[in-house]
Amino acid sequence: MPMHSQHRQTVIERLKTSRHGGLTTTEAHDRLKEYGQNEIQHELRVPAWRVFLRSLLEPIIIILWIAIGLTLVSASYDFIVKNDHAHGMAAIYEGIVILIVILVNSSLTYWQKLKAQKSLDALSAISRHQVNVLRDETWQKIDAVDLVPGDVVDVKIGDFIEADLRWLTVNELQINESHLTGESDAVQKTRDSLAADTELGSRTNMGFSGSTVVNGGGIGVVTATGMNTELGKIADLLQQTKQQKTPIEQTVSALTKRLMFASGLVVIVAISYDLVKEYLNTGTITVVGLMNNVSGAIALAVASIPDALPVVLSIVLTIGARVLARNKGLIKSLSSVETLGATTFIASDKTGTLTKNEMTVTRFFANGINFAVDGNGYDPVGEIHAVETGKDVQAADFLPFIHSGILNNEAQIQRDEIGNYAPLGNPTDVALVVLGHKAQVSRDDLLGQTGDQDRDILRILPFESTRKMMSTIVKVGDRYELLTKGAPDVVMRHAANAKLVDQLVDIAAANEVLEQQILSYANDALRTIAVAQRELTQDEALNATQEELEQGLTILGIAGIIDPPRPEVQKSIATLRKASVEVVMITGDHAATARAIAYRLGIVKDKQAQVVEGREIESMTADELFALVPDVRVYARVSPEHKQRIIKALQQHEQVVAMTGDGVNDAPALRAADIGIAMGINGTEVTKDSADLILLDDKFTTIEKSVAAGRTIFANIKNFMRQELTTNVAEVLSILLGTFLITRPIGHISELTPTLTTIMVLWVNMISDSLPSFALGYDEPEQDIMAVKPRDVKRSVLADHLLSRVLIRGFVMGLAVFVAFYWAAKSGMQQNEAQTVAFLTLVFGQLWHVFDARSEHTLFRRNPFSNPYLLAAVLFAAISSLTITLLPFFNTLMGTSPLSWQVYLAVIFLPAIPTFILSGIKELFKIKIW
């Protein structure tokens, strides 16, 4: 028989578990071995060998394969036609080296992708869903993947249902099962047995994996896990979507395609020029002339592409994810790293993010009397006394208010391992519990009384962000009471009267007194909560709906609760404002409270700043809200639907919006935002699943650090791309200048001799340029990284004069390389020596330039010793590049040659001159284009 058709006790016996003790650790361990982990088997990842093969077919790599083909053609011609074995072997060496470069590059790309995935998997493990499970007669938190059939679990609003369950206890439990049924309406759950043929969508006594709790709570026993759940049975319909390329990856992909086109064009132009030159000189075009140009064509093809760009990009993005993790920010996709740096608006909840979430009742109004409460935090020590000096008050004046507040409450305080009081439950509820202890009253004491004060909790109507109230039905002796607490304005709308000086005053007459008290508290930055009650009949208590019950209330009092701002938040908000990132407070609190807190934090500068309330948004058209949002910084009394409208209106202004949230109803707003930010400690599992960034410490300052990290990462990407592309421009230009300007032999140098050999170009691209470029990913931000406006995500990575800098610096560097080659030829050097001079001029030119590429300004603005990784990379590149000109093996392989010490000094230091001159001119005259 199916589980839903059996009595719950039969189900427990069938699963060999206990309702009150759960499974033992040993039983759970054995069942985990038997059933496996509670996971849905998603689409298998691409096999490792296929990932590697794909890396061999990247657009940049295709150019290198073409270059290998040209070397084989050249070698074949040398061996077969010219019978020139020395030149043929040189071509073979070039092909082998290019092949090695391809394999190394692809291996690094493959390795880095695997490493990045492992790193993200490890970070994602931090945010694994947790469940509250009963084992060894103790409720404890475990990873959802460790659930087994027979586990007894407890769920509440905002939780995911992590396995298929049979409900044992339900308390106003409503579940969203749209992923299975397609119906968005929540399903009210029961615990009664159903007919065996009941359809899936009507099995109200079951909970299904992948569902979310949208109201109430319940206790259930796990009946199926993993692929045995209803979700597992349709797993083939729920495969993960294809991962999209990040914006920077899309930019690089487009850039690569343009470079491929440019590479082909440059090679065709160069070969065509030489052939035309041959035709003009001889009147014919020969195969010999064509083949003589192949060496230069190969060098040009290799020089025109940044071979190591994909590897370096992947490494820098991974470094960025690790930086965010160190700052307590768990990023769920690399694209979010970039978007963080471009954020222009941060819409933040107040409680727990901007404030400490350590709520304390410091004042309350009950029976028409204003009371003050001593003490702070969760330590239940403090006196309750009337604010008005000399006023004679009795405990009876405030005890009904306190009794209602702590009975309609599921929070607790308990001592931790070092003896301090720690909260358990909703912070507002905790504040009321602490107030009760200060009045020498606790929930357990009240529920433990006998006789006509014997109390029993019958029903709980949990708090909802849309309803803004929580109610509990209590049987007191033979009487029935509804105890309600919630937002004062909402409770007042549902009230019939208020208790003032031992009299029941009609709510219309009491409104002015209550509203004056609420405003007074709000102006002192106190959150307010109203406490009310209502007498019920037995039939109402047991059968009435939520809407029917929460009417005709009697207001017992108003509590003023302080939630002090986090001391570090004010500085973070000032930093973000300096960075042109606006912070918007969106809260469910009273407007005056929200304004007072916003003023203290520096979100608004005027004590009378405009606050827009949810009821105003409700009456606005989309155009009216669109016109309003650019100037408003505080929203109060808003619902989740209002949050979505605010976000969309800001996005229509082309703002990049980050949104924080912790409740289940925040999930749609987080998905609507450009960056959804969830609380890692107090956030619900649904919210974390919808977010792009999870704050592992729930602190607003982590958002500020993440924005700074995102900007730094993007700045480093731009810097390394500038370095890589500048070198490519220099390589191409130096070879083209040799092709176009050297039209006859110079000394020992033929007019067909390329300025640089193919292997020299590969060395520069893969070693002397890529290693320092990679080290740029470790650069700390420039001092003014948070003093500039956010970048426009629609603009190219080569915007803001980056392209002009690449072209100008590359032109000057390429000209210097050509001049060095021409000087060496004029000085009577052999071919290998002249090419070595050009090679080292290029190497040290780009090594000096990398220190300028670190800055948006000039090299004079940054300490050259602040990045030890860069210094080590530059030193290694310099020493290794000099070494290969001295060793015979590399002399044969690369065509290098030893030089005199005077020439070595010249090629090391003279290439620094263009960089220092250009940087100096820019520093003096503030010329942006270079």
Side-chain angles (χ1 to χ4, degrees), residues 248-299:
I248 194 66
E249 287 173 335
Q250 293 174 4
T251 298
V252 171
S253 178
L255 177 63
T256 300
K257 291 175 181 177
R258 288 196 290 269
L259 288 175
M260 287 180 66
F261 175 78
S263 174
L265 184 62
V266 165
V267 171
I268 291 171
V269 169
I271 292 178
S272 298
Y273 175 81
D274 282 331
L275 293 178
V276 169
K277 185 169 60 176
E278 181 188 13
Y279 179 78
L280 293 175
N281 291 335
T282 65
T284 60
I285 296 176
T286 64
V287 175
V288 174
L290 178 63
M291 297 310 300
N292 285 337
N293 291 312
V294 168
S295 295
I298 296 171

Side-chain angles (χ1 to χ4, degrees), residues 354-426:
L354 299 174
T355 59
K356 289 184 176 180
N357 205 18
E358 294 178 359
M359 299 190 187
T360 307
V361 177
T362 57
R363 292 165 62 185
F364 67 89
F365 179 76
N367 199 27
I369 303 171
N370 235 318
F371 293 90
V373 186
D374 299 331
N376 288 306
Y378 303 122
D379 196 347
V381 177
E383 298 292 329
I384 298 174
H385 53 87
V387 172
E388 185 180 340
T389 305
K391 187 174 183 64
D392 183 28
V393 296
Q394 306 295 324
D397 290 321
F398 57 75
L399 280 180
F401 165 81
I402 292 179
H403 286 178
S404 181
I406 61 178
L407 280 171
N408 182 26
N409 197 317
E410 295 182 294
Q412 303 174 46
I413 55 171
Q414 64 181 27
R415 290 187 183 274
D416 58 22
E417 59 273 7
I418 59 175
N420 294 328
Y421 281 95
L424 292 174
N426 179 280

Side-chain angles (χ1 to χ4, degrees), residues 96-148:
I96 292 173
V97 171
I98 296 174
L99 178 61
I100 292 172
V101 167
I102 289 175
L103 295 176
V104 170
N105 196 7
S106 297
S107 297
L108 284 173
T109 303
Y110 163 74
W111 171 78
Q112 183 57 36
K113 284 182 178 179
L114 288 186
K115 187 176 179 182
Q117 187 60 54
K118 287 180 180 179
S119 179
L120 289 175
D121 287 347
L123 290 173
S124 296
I126 299 173
S127 62
R128 275 184 179 171
H129 295 174
Q130 297 265 304
V131 290
N132 195 23
V133 63
L134 182 63
R135 286 187 182 173
D136 298 318
E137 301 182 358
T138 304
W139 288 103
Q140 53 191 279
K141 291 280 189 180
I142 67 168
D143 284 342
V145 295
D146 294 328
L147 278 177
V148 296

